Every structure is written in structure tokens, then in C-alpha cells.
């Protein structure tokens, strides 16, 4: 596994900066659990991509070398969905994807990246007199991407539905 980790790091360094490849013990330990505190495996690395192209290259590399990729947002989930289960895995932090691209009051749409904190999206919508209806209790720490993966709701879900019910479109890397 050490040889595999060295090879993987060498390959990652061809398209990611050193700061984008987290290998420190504390960084890896922090990503071994979520709000469940259910600890399974330490990831080989915690990756902090800054572009969609880097995410695509990580996924291609995972397919080529056979390691798992665990997407991670605000780490407020209570289902264990963002916890590595296998020794040969990396955590893909979307924390640097935190831009609110547009809030359009005419179309009543908010366009944002996966790492945007839910409360920031709620506030951005409110500034345009819009109601952002995805309002989980974890809104101060949860991210839009995490809300999608967990299909988060909140008190507005009874009237407006959960996250999945409120998405007009999205882009994803497969």
C-alpha cells in the first residue's frame, strides 16, 4: 500500500499542487468520519481540487488505478455517506468549490458550486427576495453538494420538497 500511495501521489502531482494533496495525519484522520463519528478507514489522501478538470482527472486516475473516491462536503451527514470504507481510497473535498455564480430573481434560480455552505445560499437568495427552501438543521455547516447527496430537507420540505425536488439542473463528473 505504501508503494501504491507513492505512485498515486506522483501521478496526482502532475495536475495538482502540493497544497491540494493532503497527506498529513490530522487531515486524513479528520476525514475518517462524519457527524456519525463512525470511523472506518483512513484515506490515502485528502484531495482539494480547484477545477472541474482536476476532478475529472482524479476520477480517470481512480478508474485506471482502481481506488475509491469519496466526495466530501461540510461533513454534517448522519448516514456515513462520506466515510472511506476501503484502504485504497481518497477523500475528494469540494470545499474549494464555494462560488455562488448567480441568483436570478426573474427565473427564481440560484446557480452555485457544490461546496457552497447552505446558509450562504439561503442568504444570497434572501438578498433577491427569494426563499431558498432547502433548510436542514445543519445549514451553517452543510454544503449544497452534500444536500444533494443526502437529499436534505428541513422545515420547508413538507411544503416545497427536499433538495432533489428543488434542483432544475446540475453538472457532475462520472
Amino acid at each position: 500500500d505504501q508503494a501504491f500511495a507513492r505512485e498515486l501521489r506522483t501521478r496526482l502531482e502532475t495536475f495538482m499542487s502540493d497544497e491540494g494533496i493532503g497527506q498529513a495525519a490530522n487531515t486524513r484522520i479528520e476525514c475518517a468520519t462524519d457527524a456519525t463519528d463512525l470511523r472506518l478507514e483512513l484515506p490515502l489522501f485528502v484531495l482539494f481540487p480547484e477545477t472541474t478538470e482536476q476532478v475529472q482527472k482524479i476520477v480517470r486516475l481512480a478508474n485506471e488505478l482502481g481506488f475509491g473516491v469519496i466526495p466530501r462536503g461540510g461533513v454534517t451527514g448522519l448516514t456515513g455517506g462520506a466515510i472511506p470504507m476501503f484502504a485504497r481510497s481518497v477523500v475528494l473535498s469540494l470545499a474549494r468549490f464555494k462560488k455562488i455564480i448567480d441568483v436570478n430573481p426573474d427565473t427564481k434560480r440560484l446557480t452555485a458550486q457544490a461546496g457552497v455552505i447552505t446558509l450562504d445560499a439561503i442568504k444570497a437568495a434572501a438578498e433577491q427576495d427569494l426563499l431558498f427552501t432547502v433548510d436542514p438543521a445543519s445549514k451553517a455547516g452543510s454544503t449544497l453538494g452534500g444536500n444533494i447527496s443526502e437529499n436534505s430537507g428541513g422545515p420547508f420540505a413538507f411544503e416545497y420538497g427536499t433538495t432533489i425536488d428543488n434542483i432544475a439542473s446540475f453538472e457532475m463528473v462520472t
Side-chain angles (χ1 to χ4, degrees):
D1 281 344
Q2 289 178 353
F4 180 81
R6 281 191 300 274
E7 177 187 353
L8 177 55
R9 179 163 185 111
T10 298
R11 300 282 295 275
L12 289 167
E13 287 173 340
T14 65
F15 61 90
M16 292 188 71
S17 68
D18 191 48
E19 297 82 35
I21 305 170
Q23 191 173 5
N26 65 315
T27 302
R28 293 171 59 226
I29 289 168
E30 289 166 4
C31 289
T33 191
D34 62 6
T36 63
D37 200 26
L38 173 66
R39 298 170 193 272
L40 294 176
E41 290 286 340
L42 287 179
L44 292 169
F45 301 104
V46 180
L47 305 178
F48 300 94
E50 296 183 17
T51 66
T52 301
E53 181 182 65
Q54 286 179 329
V55 174
Q56 291 168 331
K57 288 180 178 182
I58 291 165
V59 171
R60 282 188 196 112
L61 193 57
N63 285 325
E64 181 184 332
L65 298 179
F67 63 89
V69 177
I70 312 300
R72 195 158 172 95
V75 199
T76 60
L78 293 170
T79 63
I83 300 174
M85 292 182 58
F86 306 105
R88 285 193 175 182
S89 62
V90 299
V91 166
L92 181 70
S93 171
L94 297 173
R96 295 184 181 172
F97 285 80
K98 56 186 175 187
K99 291 180 189 162
I100 295 177
I101 298 163
D102 183 44
V103 182
N104 188 324
D106 296 327
T107 61
K108 297 182 181 175
R109 291 193 177 173
L110 179 140
T111 305
Q113 294 179 319
V116 170
I117 300 295
T118 306
L119 185 57
D120 293 339
I122 291 169
K123 289 177 180 178
E127 288 174 8
Q128 298 294 325
D129 292 324
L130 298 173
L131 176 64
F132 189 83
T133 62
V134 177
D135 189 19
S138 61
K139 64 187 168 203
S142 67
T143 62
L144 299 183
N147 292 341
I148 293 169
S149 67
E150 294 289 324
N151 197 22
S152 299
F156 292 118
F158 294 106
E159 187 171 351
Y160 299 104
T162 60
T163 300
I164 302 294
D165 300 311
N166 286 283
I167 296 175
S169 66
F170 63 93
E171 291 181 27
M172 64 186 247
V173 174
T174 60

